[in-house]
Amino acid sequence: ALAKEMKITKIYNFLLFLALISPCIPKVQISKDITMFPYEIVALLCFPFLLRTIKFSIQRCFFAVWLLILFATLISQVDVYSVGGVMRCVKELIYIPLMYIAYRSRWLNYKLIVKVFCVACFINLFYLFSEGFRFGVLDIWNNETMSSGMSNKAFNLQTFSVERILTGGSHGIWLTYSNICVCIAYACYLKKWILGKFFFIALILGMLNLAMSVSREGLIIFAILVLGISYGKLHNSKGQFQISPNFILLVVVIVSAVIYVIVQYGEEIAIVQKVLYTQKSLNSNGSEGNIAMRIGGWIVYFKSIIANPLYLIVGYGFNTDAYLAIVKDIARPYGEKWVPIPESFFVETLMYGGLLCFYFGIRLWIKMYQIIREIGNNSIRYSVIGLFLGILFGNIFSGATIISDVVYSYVLICLGLLLRYREELLTKKNN
């Protein structure tokens, strides 16, 4: 029995290791239409065995969401065959065990996550500059030149080279991942698990990723994270409002430095250009292209369920071609001013899996908040709540980054660590 347990632990640790290094490595291009991270390949082979690790109620919410979407996707195969949609659902399911694996791991800690983040950032920077990236020459519409980590790159087994697999970037994924790691680095610094220099490096790398990206979602998450950190620093352990002169001085210095950099080098900062473009578009047109297409997509979807109420119950499934065939007449008046993808976690659960899936999607976020709320340290709790609210805002209005490979794996890993941390706090309290 002991030998069997040790073997299981080794498998768990290997899977966890593969998931942790995903931000540092490209995917593997198995065929023209299928790319997978090494974790996904191994976890897919082991998944029947890994089903036993779905033990927490929040894991069961994740499982219910993707099982319902998979069911609807399988039904949609009757109209249009889509192996890609089925594979997407399966890939989302095989990540869920990571939460329990992280929870029971004895070598994983928050400090290791920060170390991996720093390595991933340096690899991303090396790759960008080797591809000809230059700060002074930026085109925010050329997604391939913007910073987006390794999520849109794959190692081609036929050519033995790293190639881009997306015509656009995956900026929201990379920036959300960066914000998660900056928040973890801050918590580690407060707990004295890392030195101030280490936190400063992680913070600079996070802000550099932000400056080199065009993700407005990432900017919003970072801003709300900073508000959470500030709110936590202005409250003592008893929850009372308390202003620290040193903190006020630090804020003044940082804000002054950021304003100076933006004023001096604004035209060379990608995210600043994207914000200015958005402001100009809203002032002149009352809207912005990407925002208008997203809203158009929501309108088309809700009009489609009025015409086909059954799909509100069962969902369309993860099958874009089948969905396009159903809504083609409804979408015709919108021309190209709409997108056939939900661009929102909550619309996604409703559109792909139906009402019951939408219900489990809401429960998922509630359970995440309940876990975060039980963090003992005020400063850490408020910073993580800031991160949570930022990601929640982005997943309501801007996309579904929480279930996008790298972010998805790290959210599950961090939730597993938080569950372990909560258990340790309860044990200390009872003793």
Side-chain angles (χ1 to χ4, degrees):
L2 182 60
K4 183 179 179 181
E5 184 64 24
M6 289 179 64
K7 185 177 180 180
I8 291 172
T9 300
K10 287 180 180 179
I11 294 172
Y12 286 169
N13 287 341
F14 181 60
L15 285 166
L16 189 55
F17 169 75
L18 291 177
L20 281 171
I21 65 170
S22 291
C24 305
I25 58 176
K27 297 175 182 178
V28 178
Q29 188 159 15
I30 298 172
S31 69
K32 183 180 179 181
D33 300 319
I34 299 177
T35 58
M36 300 177 75
F37 277 117
Y39 167 81
E40 295 169 346
I41 297 170
V42 178
L44 183 60
L45 297 173
C46 301
F47 189 63
F49 161 77
L50 293 174
L51 281 171
R52 69 182 71 180
T53 65
I54 301 176
K55 297 185 176 183
F56 300 118
S57 59
I58 188 171
Q59 279 183 294
R60 289 191 282 271
C61 284
F62 274 111
F63 191 75
V65 165
W66 283 103
L67 201 61
L68 288 164
I69 293 176
L70 176 60
F71 176 72
T73 304
L74 291 172
I75 293 174
S76 73
Q77 304 298 302
V78 175
D79 298 317
V80 179
Y81 179 71
S82 173
V83 66
V86 175
M87 277 300 298
R88 170 65 191 275
C89 297
V90 172
K91 285 172 68 173
E92 299 293 339
L93 286 168
I94 61 178
Y95 272 103
I96 298 172
L98 276 174
M99 190 185 301
Y100 178 77
I101 294 172
Y103 162 79
R104 63 166 284 172
S105 173
R106 290 294 168 259
W107 61 270
L108 175 65
N109 54 50
Y110 299 99
K111 184 178 178 180
L112 181 58
I113 291 176
V114 183
K115 288 181 178 178
V116 172
F117 169 65
C118 293
V119 172
C121 288
F122 284 119
I123 290 173
N124 179 51
L125 287 171
F126 175 80
Y127 187 90
L128 273 175
F129 285 110
S130 70
E131 289 288 295
F133 177 87
R134 295 292 180 270
F135 280 107
V137 184
L138 290 175
D139 177 6
I140 61 172
W141 300 114
N142 185 357
N143 288 326
E144 285 75 13
T145 65
M146 298 291 103
S147 177
S148 56
M150 304 299 285
S151 289
N152 64 345
K153 303 168 187 69
F155 181 78
N156 191 317
L157 294 175
Q158 294 180 334
T159 62
F160 283 91
S161 61
V162 177
E163 301 174 358
R164 293 185 181 276
I165 54 174
L166 299 176
T167 54
S170 48
H171 316 296
I173 297 171
W174 182 242
L175 259 295
T176 302
Y177 163 70
S178 297
N179 284 317
I180 289 171
C181 292
V182 168
C183 183
I184 292 171
Y186 177 68
C188 288
Y189 169 66
L190 291 181
K191 296 291 287 186
K192 302 188 185 305
W193 292 335
I194 63 173
L195 297 174
K197 293 179 181 178
F198 196 179
F199 167 62
F200 184 71
I201 291 171
L203 178 61
I204 292 298
L205 287 171
M207 295 184 71
L208 189 60
N209 284 332
L210 181 63
M212 292 162 52
S213 178
V214 290
S215 171
R216 290 167 294 198
E217 177 184 354
L219 177 62
I220 291 170
I221 294 172
F222 183 76
I224 300 177
L225 169 60
V226 170
L227 289 176
I229 290 173
S230 302
Y231 186 81
K233 287 298 292 182
L234 294 174
H235 286 73
N236 59 25
S237 59
K238 296 180 181 179
Q240 298 171 333
F241 189 75
Q242 187 177 38
I243 299 178
S244 167
N246 291 335
F247 178 71
I248 297 298
L249 178 62
L250 180 63
V251 170
V252 170
V253 170
I254 292 175
V255 170
S256 300
V258 170
I259 292 174
Y260 172 78
V261 170
I262 291 175
V263 171
Q264 190 72 18
Y265 306 102
E267 292 300 316
E268 299 177 12
I269 302 173
I271 191 65
V272 173
Q273 289 187 36
K274 191 62 177 283
V275 170
L276 292 175
Y277 157 76
T278 304
Q279 181 187 24
K280 183 179 178 181
S281 295
L282 291 174
N283 287 340
S284 58
N285 305 322
S287 183
E288 186 269 331
N290 290 334
I291 297 173
M293 290 177 71
R294 185 173 294 127
I295 294 172
W298 293 341
I299 292 172
V300 168
Y301 164 66
F302 285 111
K303 282 188 174 181
S304 75
I305 60 173
I306 292 173
N308 307 282
L310 179 62
Y311 287 109
L312 178 62
I313 308 299
V314 298
Y316 286 101
F318 204 97
N319 190 336
T320 303
D321 290 336
Y323 175 67
L324 285 171
I326 295 168
V327 304
K328 61 181 180 180
D329 292 333
I330 297 171
R332 189 172 290 117
Y334 297 90
E336 295 183 355
K337 295 183 179 180
W338 75 290
V339 286
I341 53 177
E343 291 284 7
S344 164
F345 173 82
F346 296 97
V347 178
E348 179 167 311
T349 54
L350 186 62
M351 175 176 164
Y352 290 155
L355 279 173
L356 188 58
C357 185
F358 177 67
Y359 163 77
F360 280 110
I362 293 175
R363 280 184 59 82
L364 182 62
W365 287 90
I366 293 172
K367 286 185 177 295
M368 275 194 282
Y369 177 74
Q370 289 171 343
I371 293 171
I372 294 168
R373 189 182 59 189
E374 294 174 355
I375 296 174
N377 184 295
N378 266 350
S379 294
I380 296 176
R381 180 170 66 252
Y382 289 129
S383 63
V384 178
I385 287 175
L387 174 70
F388 169 83
L389 292 175
I391 295 176
L392 176 60
F393 180 88
N395 277 259
I396 291 173
F397 299 109
S398 183
T401 54
I402 194 175
I403 47 174
S404 299
D405 45 56
V406 169
V407 174
Y408 189 37
S409 62
Y410 269 76
V411 166
L412 290 164
I413 289 170
C414 292
L415 286 171
L417 285 172
L418 285 175
L419 287 167
R420 188 212 298 174
Y421 179 66
R422 181 182 68 177
E423 188 176 275
E424 290 170 354
L425 287 177
L426 289 173
T427 302
K428 288 180 182 178
K429 185 177 179 180
N430 293 332
N431 291 338

